[in-house]
Amino acid sequence: MSDISDELEIAKGTIYNHYPSKEDLLFALIYPKFQKLRDSLRGIAKEDTSFDEKFRKVIQEALESDYHQFLLLSFSDMAVLFQEKNQKDMELIQNEVIQEFNNVLILGINEGIIKQNFSADFLSHQILSALNPLLHSLLVNDSAKMTHKEFVKQTTELLLYGIKKG
């Protein structure tokens, strides 16, 4: 809160007039980003394109979303949102994002593209784990082990390779 008040050149108490805690401020910042990701994923699921194209778009959207970019900057602070008063809201929106992953995967299952030995629910959670900001920061950083675009491509290819038949 001190850093924010210094940057904005306002008294720290002014921030507390609007946000009673750091967690409330963090929630106000992240929740709309999570909602925007959910809405983008819903749109992709409704597109009239092949499963592969939808899947690629879902992974790209997830890894390039404002939500993921925020995670990259503040992932160490995120755990508190799942433990504090906003826990139910965070779990709800997270489950809605997982459901949108699930909706795309069900299309692949119904088209016979995805192996039957995986449940859509399991795969949806695995996609969410691909948003891990630690992995991204280890590979896409100042040392430039890979570009963000290459990270998205390799993540998508790995996930597709693991779930598709044949």
Side-chain angles (χ1 to χ4, degrees):
M1 295 300 245
S2 296
D3 292 342
I4 294 169
S5 67
D6 291 346
E7 184 69 27
L8 295 174
E9 297 179 359
I10 60 174
K12 191 166 34 169
T14 304
I15 298 171
Y16 283 108
N17 287 336
H18 300 281
Y19 303 100
S21 69
K22 179 175 105 172
E23 293 77 25
D24 288 327
L25 175 59
L26 185 60
F27 179 77
L29 292 170
I30 194 65
Y31 194 75
K33 294 174 187 339
F34 226 162
Q35 289 174 312
K36 184 178 175 187
L37 173 58
R38 177 205 55 208
D39 295 344
S40 295
L41 297 175
R42 279 185 183 159
I44 293 168
K46 293 177 183 176
E47 290 178 4
D48 188 24
T49 58
S50 69
F51 167 75
D52 277 20
E53 183 63 27
K54 285 180 189 177
F55 189 84
R56 290 176 196 285
K57 285 184 176 181
V58 161
I59 299 302
Q60 182 173 0
E61 179 62 30
L63 288 171
E64 294 181 355
S65 68
D66 291 341
Y67 170 72
H68 190 256
Q69 297 310 307
F70 190 85
L71 282 181
L72 292 174
L73 297 172
S74 61
F75 68 104
S76 61
D77 296 323
M78 290 299 295
V80 73
L81 290 180
F82 288 91
Q83 300 169 2
E84 297 290 331
K85 70 179 186 179
N86 299 315
Q87 177 182 359
K88 287 182 183 176
D89 290 331
M90 288 300 292
E91 287 176 356
L92 178 66
I93 192 71
Q94 178 177 285
N95 287 336
E96 289 174 356
V97 167
I98 290 169
Q99 183 58 50
E100 295 310 320
F101 291 146
N102 202 18
N103 291 340
V104 171
L105 290 165
I106 287 171
L107 296 171
I109 290 169
N110 291 342
E111 292 176 23
I113 295 170
I114 295 178
K115 298 174 187 174
Q116 293 296 319
N117 52 334
F118 297 119
S119 74
D121 190 48
F122 172 79
L123 293 175
S124 298
H125 282 79
Q126 289 299 323
I127 293 171
L128 184 66
S129 73
L131 299 181
N132 183 337
L134 181 58
L135 178 61
H136 187 278
S137 65
L138 289 172
L139 295 173
V140 181
N141 58 21
D142 296 334
S143 68
K145 292 179 183 173
M146 68 176 33
T147 65
H148 173 75
K149 184 175 179 178
E150 187 62 23
F151 182 85
V152 171
K153 180 182 179 215
Q154 287 191 26
T155 299
T156 303
E157 293 302 317
L158 177 68
L159 290 169
L160 275 174
Y161 179 80
I163 67 173
K164 285 179 69 175
K165 290 182 178 179

